[in-house]
Amino acid sequence: MSEPSSTRHALVIGAGLAGSAVCAALARRGWQLTLLDAAPGPAQAASALPVGMLSPHVTRVPTPLSRLCAFGVADARLELQRLVPQGHGWQACEVDNLGHDPGRWPAVLVRPAALVNAWLDEARGFGALDCLWNRRVARLTRTPDGAWVALDDTDGPLAQAQTVVVAAAHGTRTLLEGRHGLTATALPLRPVKGQMSLAALDGDPLAPRPMRNNGVFVPAYEDAGLQPAWPPRIWAMGSTYERGADNSDVDATAHERNAQSLEEMHAAAAGVLRQSVADGSLRGWAQVRCASLDRLPLVGAAPDLPALDALMNDAGARRGRVPLAETPRLPNLYLLTALGSRGLTLAHWCARLLAARMSGEASPLPPTDHGLEQALDPSRFAWKAARRQRS
């Protein structure tokens, strides 16, 4: 295991939307990357979703999530147009929103793996990427000279670099909790299972256009890249949102939950779903997504909790005045995780933000939105808890 000669070399752990977007964003800035994943290839977990939707998140009053999504939707669409031919991983459409933001909105249907592979291909094109598959990182340690080493289950070294980005969704908590001073309070990450119900589409689409309320109904999606796992032309309904569930089992209860949600949008399509259950033609896909306690991503440097405690103890009664920006950080350990069900929308924009920070560049956010960086700071939970403690 040798260290590349570049002075800017990072390990990236996780080869889904977040990890691949980080690889592309850093490769454009001259970094060398070593990507590690426990799977035999990219986009094998939540990013293996057969079809997802990229669409606006509209709220009556702007929220950090709606502001973030406004940046992310536009950015992700540009990435699709730049890297993936339409019809080979995505297709433009409109969606009828029937819930809290009713109306017809521009949208894009996307097979996430197409975007994951496009970003990794881009990083390879810079000569910047080395992929290590079937490498489960069990923990991280540091050498005396400050390099991070990824270790397997037997404490055998897998790779090392001065910098590491953990983009392992809910696996981030498993990898880091209880190590390097990090606690469940500092990293309040939650598993969220999602199950999609889908089947081959023979004949006309089940509706004129996609619909969204409690889940997204896709009446038709065609993409040769769905094969061999799925038929090249499908309809789909989902995904469920099961907080706390951390398994990828496809079950009948979730299919029925999808049917009930679909019935509120399109009764005839719900009948097709239930008939597909009865005749055995319905298929399912399930995986675990990751959400934070406040439902916003974690993007940035991880907190150094012992140093934070010392800082707050020194501040005494003035600990409530210590700004988030002064939170001590673990050297060169970064997080990009907790994208929830909005990985398509948020992955690349958040990766750009993180890559700019890591490379010493100015924030891509306009000055009026710099507060959004604090809303995404991985140290926000530890900082809030430390400010409340008595000295």
Side-chain angles (χ1 to χ4, degrees), residues 11-95:
L11 306 181
V12 178
I13 302 172
L17 283 163
S20 62
V22 165
C23 287
L26 288 174
R28 293 172 205 144
R29 291 163 170 80
W31 287 71
Q32 291 292 313
L33 294 315
T34 301
L35 176 64
L36 300 100
D37 197 283
Q44 298 292 300
S47 298
L49 180 74
V51 58
M53 177 171 284
L54 180 68
S55 62
H57 177 69
V58 181
T59 56
R60 289 193 182 96
V61 178
T63 66
L65 182 58
S66 68
R67 288 157 59 207
L68 182 61
C69 288
F71 291 117
V73 167
D75 179 69
R77 184 150 189 168
L78 287 174
E79 287 297 287
L80 285 167
Q81 293 169 342
R82 186 173 69 87
L83 294 171
V84 183
Q86 186 166 188
H88 297 271
W90 68 281
Q91 62 187 49
C93 66
E94 292 181 317
V95 59

Side-chain angles (χ1 to χ4, degrees), residues 342-378:
R342 294 195 171 268
L344 281 169
T345 300
L346 302 180
H348 186 261
W349 190 89
C350 288
R352 285 180 54 211
L353 179 64
L354 179 61
R357 290 179 183 174
M358 293 172 61
S359 303
E361 299 173 5
S363 169
L365 280 165
T368 53
D369 275 292
H370 277 176
L372 195 53
E373 290 199 53
Q374 289 196 337
L376 306 179
D377 193 320

